[in-house]
Amino acid sequence: MTASTRQTRFKIGGMDCASCAAKIDTAVRRLDGVADVAVSVTGASMTVSHDGPLADDKVLRQVARLGYGIVKDSAAASRTHGQHGDHEHDHGHDHDHDHHDHAGHDHAGHNHGKTTASRSASAPASEALHVHGGAEPGQPWWRSSRALLTLACALALAVAYVAGHAFPAAERWLFLAALLVGLVPIARRALMAALAGTPFSIETLMTIAAVGAVLIGATEEAAAVVVLFLIGELLEGVAAGRARASIQGLADLVPKMALVERNGGTAEVPAEELAVGDVIVVRPGDRIPADGEITDGSSDIDEAPVTGESTPKRKSVGEAVFAGTISADGVLKVRVTAAAADNTIARVVRLVEEAQEAKAPTERFIDRFSRYYTPAVLLVGALVAVLPPLLAGADWSGWIYKGLAILLIGCPCALVISTPAAIAAGLATGARRGLLLKGGAVLEGFAGINAVAFDKTGTLTEGKPVVTDVVAYGRDESGVLSLAAALEQGSSHPLALAILGRASAAGVAVPQASGSKAISGKGVEGDVGGVAVFLGSAKAAAERAPLTEAQRAAVEGLNGQGKTVSVLVADGAVAGLIAMRDEPRADAAAGIAALKGDGIRTVMLTGDNRRTAEAIAASLGMEARAELLPQDKQRIVGELKREGLKVAKVGDGINDAPALAAADIGIAMGGGTDVALETADAAILHGRVGDVWRMIRLSRSVMANIRQNITVALGLKAVFLVTTIAGITGLWPAILADTGATVLVTANAMRLLRWRG
């Protein structure tokens, strides 16, 4: 994409499947000046990349002709990539746009394009929005124009049945009228799609089959087939709406209003108007309206809506909070750190929508297959209709009927939707549990992972040392902690913070120290209540007070466990030992065990010293490679791949960038505000090691679902193909083979929304 390429985003109504997206993609791509098109079914959006200005009315008119509601997204202004690096889509590697000619169905009921098409590009967005095919925002599906068309066609068919019995002479014309109620919009879709570059659509097959049925006298069956088709499409739209709502519902977690401190008081303002630096007040039970940092107060924060973490976390001054989470029991003051468009939930929604624009390899294969499949169905239907009468003198009417039934059996809707429906549901359910996978290719790739390389600090461990052992000599542990904490007051060194944290947790009184000073490379010393105190390394402590053999053995034993040991000297004698270590995350051992239980190899790659790395790795039951530079980690990932393993690398997304890039899949571990969220292939929002295993399990569940869907789609077609040629089934069972399969496939994919991992 060149520096001058711009992007314009549109919202689209009535688009419920991958075929709809493909049809829109093909039509818009034909416009002059369009460089690339990315359509998201779940996001109900389209991003058009173009060189220089693009008249919006051209896009509006082109899409509206297909029967979809469309409006320029005023919330996403055009971006020039040379100036804005954010959200740049590399659509080239995943979209395979050359193969978007597969059968697209834009669903009867979309026949309202001219209102939107006639609007000028300069018209306000609020005036241009007309969602004709599906329910408008906030409107139930049963009030949509598609539902009304389906109801009208069904009622017309019912009236034709009743009136036909009363007036047998008019029966054929009554069924023809009922047929036209549904077929005219479908035929218009077929024509518009053909003119826009998609001649082989499901509407084309439906139109040919219905018209052919009328010509051979099967008008009643043709009308029933159209009603069944419309019902199937309506059910598909409802299911697609559920998938869309699953991820878009995240945006509703952020409250619309916020209490902000201004002019010595508080004022209620729209959350979208909050600016970075504003201080907001969050009351007990309130949802937090913005990403921020606590400046006053403490509270248990329920992060389940954002991260899926079931246990509330106690947070206080200096800690980060996410928009959409809930302050359970305390009043907080929070300094806003991200505007509404950039808060955690907004970024998650945006990343998932972008991910759904990127096709998985299986999805791209189905697209390419569909490009040839639909014309092949037309050819097979024609051959079945004409060859037996020509070659064997069979009955023309009977075999034409069978050929038309084959057109309906061959409708590719169920096959085309089998993969994207499962991918969309998988991406959405992962996002709701804090598992971000950037695209179908990544989601599919996780299924094959059989080796995971972890960074240590901040990935397998918490990223900060804690006091693990306090050994006292001549006094109790509280006395040792009290003296050590007195020396460390005011220090921001990680080891000092660990000691102060342990003293605070233990409720130890911390006296004031006088004359405290740091001694470079050795430790810190001062006077505490008239007692000369030193805290530092064992070597530096031995210069002030000799260590006994037992004390030296204790220090060695703690060092052997990968712990850093500080020796406390008071009044010229060793008073105690304080051991600290960056401990594994609470779920690290269980997460590693889950991966190993699935036959996945785990290895730790760290720049830390070998003894510490091996101690942590041994406690987790995994192998360790220590004292590594970034290029060493990259080399080891390459070695694992050369062994035939498919490798995922888990790290912070920044320091481990070379290894993340070398791996088959790079996973960022950390909070939603981490820049790693933007750089890796996948991200784990709440830092649980077990979520790596859950990502792999989710991927395998999705791939199993896709295999089930394809089996159902092709299996039903094969069964009805045989029964149709054998003369057992006719037109309406044929459409059930496709419509029924579409509903089954979509419903099966929606089961993934209930996945719990």
Side-chain angles (χ1 to χ4, degrees):
M1 192 170 288
T2 65
S4 62
T5 299
R6 298 169 60 84
Q7 288 188 337
T8 304
R9 190 175 175 87
F10 299 87
K11 300 299 289 183
I12 298 177
M15 176 176 61
D16 294 328
C17 66
S19 292
C20 297
K23 187 179 303 178
I24 293 169
D25 179 290
T26 301
V28 175
R29 192 173 295 278
R30 294 160 67 94
L31 295 175
D32 292 337
V34 172
D36 195 14
V37 180
V39 184
S40 170
V41 176
T42 306
S45 65
M46 173 177 65
T47 302
V48 179
S49 301
H50 48 98
D51 298 322
L54 176 69
D56 296 334
D57 61 334
K58 289 184 178 180
V59 178
L60 296 174
R61 191 176 296 113
Q62 187 79 331
V63 175
R65 283 196 188 105
L66 298 174
Y68 301 96
I70 179 172
V71 61
K72 184 176 179 180
D73 189 353
S74 58
S78 299
R79 293 184 175 93
T80 302
H81 283 275
Q83 299 170 350
H84 301 275
D86 58 333
H87 318 309
E88 184 166 348
H89 309 294
D90 182 15
H91 298 304
H93 74 284
D94 261 335
H95 268 71
D96 196 12
H97 290 298
D98 290 338
H99 303 292
H100 275 181
D101 293 336
H102 61 73
H105 55 288
D106 51 318
H107 314 311
H110 296 173
N111 187 19
H112 305 273
K114 63 181 181 181
T115 305
T116 307
S118 65
R119 301 210 176 246
S120 166
S122 62
S126 60
E127 293 181 11
L129 179 56
H130 293 276
V131 183
H132 301 293
E136 294 184 20
Q139 183 186 55
W141 62 266
W142 59 84
R143 293 180 58 188
S144 68
S145 57
R146 178 184 305 154
L148 295 177
L149 176 64
T150 304
L151 178 61
C153 195
L155 287 176
L157 181 61
V159 169
Y161 271 114
V162 174
H165 283 289
F167 306 100
E171 183 180 48
R172 185 170 185 273
W173 298 104
L174 289 169
F175 280 117
L176 182 60
L179 168 68
L180 292 176
V181 171
L183 185 61
V184 169
I186 293 172
R188 183 180 182 279
R189 292 301 154 284
L191 176 61
M192 292 299 103
L195 294 176
T198 309
F200 300 113
S201 65
I202 189 172
E203 287 82 9
T204 300
L205 299 181
M206 277 296 306
T207 302
I208 294 172
V211 171
V214 171
L215 294 178
I216 63 172
T219 309
E220 179 180 343
E221 278 195 84
V225 162
V226 169
V227 171
L228 288 173
F229 173 76
L230 292 175
I231 291 173
E233 295 296 281
L234 183 63
L235 292 175
E236 180 188 335
V238 172
R242 285 186 57 198
R244 184 175 298 138
S246 177
I247 183 60
Q248 292 181 340
L250 281 173
D252 296 332
L253 294 175
V254 180
K256 303 301 181 186
M257 305 299 291
L259 282 176
V260 62
E261 287 192 340
R262 285 184 182 166
N263 303 321
T266 59
E268 192 172 50
V269 302
E272 63 185 16
E273 295 180 6
L274 291 174
V276 175
D278 282 345
V279 175
I280 54 178
V281 178
V282 183
R283 297 164 298 193
D286 284 355
R287 288 189 185 272
I288 299 171
D291 284 3
E293 180 181 292
I294 299 174
T295 60
D296 185 46
S298 65
S299 178
D300 284 334
I301 305 297
D302 180 4
E303 297 185 339
V306 177
T307 67
E309 182 64 59
S310 59
T311 305
K313 296 181 181 179
R314 192 73 186 177
K315 293 193 174 184
S316 56
V317 175
E319 294 189 88
V321 292
F322 301 146
T325 57
I326 303 168
S327 175
D329 60 358
V331 177
L332 300 176
K333 289 186 178 180
V334 177
R335 185 177 66 251
V336 176
T337 57
D342 294 316
N343 67 40
T344 300
I345 287 181
R347 295 168 75 197
V348 167
V349 171
R350 185 165 64 242
L351 285 168
V352 173
E353 287 183 353
E354 291 171 0
Q356 289 165 342
E357 294 172 1
K359 292 181 180 289
T362 300
E363 188 176 355
R364 292 200 301 270
F365 170 76
I366 294 295
D367 280 353
R368 290 192 294 269
F369 177 74
S370 298
R371 181 185 183 187
Y372 302 102
Y373 173 85
T374 307
V377 167
L378 279 169
L379 178 60
V380 170
L383 292 176
V384 168
V386 302
L387 287 184
L390 287 177
L391 300 180
D395 175 56
W396 277 97
S397 178
W399 282 98
I400 289 174
Y401 181 89
K402 292 178 180 180
L404 296 175
I406 285 174
L407 293 186
L408 298 179
I409 293 169
C411 287
C413 183
L415 182 62
V416 170
I417 202 174
S418 61
T419 299
I423 293 290
L427 291 171
T429 199
R432 294 190 69 87
R433 287 159 182 78
L435 313 177
L436 292 186
L437 301 104
K438 299 186 181 178
V442 175
L443 178 57
E444 185 172 327
F446 264 104
I449 292 295
N450 50 20
V452 182
F454 290 90
D455 184 33
K456 181 181 80 68
T457 305
T459 299
L460 288 170
T461 67
E462 294 288 354
K464 56 184 179 181
V466 295
V467 173
T468 58
D469 303 88
V470 179
V471 182
Y473 299 108
R475 62 188 70 212
D476 59 19
E477 291 185 9
S478 296
V480 172
L481 278 174
S482 179
L483 292 175
L487 289 181
E488 299 289 15
Q489 285 188 96
S491 173
S492 59
H493 191 280
L495 297 181
L497 295 176
I499 292 171
L500 290 168
R502 176 64 176 267
S504 175
V508 172
V510 181
Q512 291 292 319
S514 60
S516 296
K517 62 178 180 179
I519 304 171
S520 180
K522 295 186 177 182
V524 60
E525 65 180 6
D527 186 278
V528 182
V531 178
V533 182
F534 170 81
L535 182 67
S537 66
K539 181 179 179 181
E543 297 173 0
R544 290 164 170 75
L547 275 67
T548 66
E549 285 301 317
Q551 289 167 347
R552 291 182 185 278
V555 171
E556 285 298 316
L558 292 168
N559 282 335
Q561 298 172 36
K563 299 174 181 178
T564 299
V565 181
S566 293
V567 179
L568 182 73
V569 177
D571 275 343
V574 174
L577 310 176
I578 299 178
M580 289 162 281
R581 188 173 71 178
D582 181 12
E583 289 290 271
R585 293 179 183 271
D587 80 317
I592 297 300
L595 288 167
K596 293 174 68 177
D598 275 1
I600 297 169
R601 181 178 173 184
T602 59
V603 57
M604 175 196 295
L605 305 181
T606 179
D608 208 346
N609 69 77
R610 188 172 304 280
R611 185 154 56 176
T612 298
E614 290 178 347
I616 295 289
S619 70
L620 298 177
M622 62 190 303
E623 60 183 290
R625 308 279 185 90
E627 300 174 359
L628 303 175
L629 296 173
Q631 56 266 37
D632 296 323
K633 297 179 182 180
Q634 182 184 33
R635 173 180 52 79
I636 292 170
V637 168
E639 291 173 356
L640 292 171
K641 291 174 69 175
R642 284 191 290 276
E643 291 177 24
L645 297 172
K646 190 167 184 179
V647 184
K649 174 67 176 69
V650 190
D652 63 10
I654 305 169
N655 297 330
D656 287 335
L660 285 167
D664 292 291
I665 294 178
I667 307 171
M669 175 80 80
T673 57
D674 195 324
V675 71
L677 192 66
E678 312 288 353
T679 59
D681 298 311
I684 295 170
L685 286 186
H686 45 69
R688 292 191 303 205
V689 176
D691 279 349
V692 177
W693 173 77
R694 290 182 183 90
M695 280 184 164
I696 294 172
R697 296 296 295 183
L698 174 60
S699 173
R700 292 177 178 178
S701 295
V702 170
M703 295 310 297
N705 192 282
I706 289 172
R707 288 191 292 271
Q708 294 163 6
N709 287 347
I710 292 174
T711 300
V712 168
L714 294 180
L716 280 176
K717 292 181 186 304
V719 169
F720 278 88
L721 178 64
V722 172
T723 57
T724 296
I725 292 177
I728 300 172
T729 55
L731 286 178
W732 70 265
I735 192 61
L736 281 180
D738 180 69
T739 300
T742 300
V743 173
L744 288 175
V745 162
T746 306
N748 188 47
M750 293 306 99
R751 290 191 306 112
L752 291 167
L753 295 175
R754 298 192 298 272
W755 182 87
R756 294 290 180 268

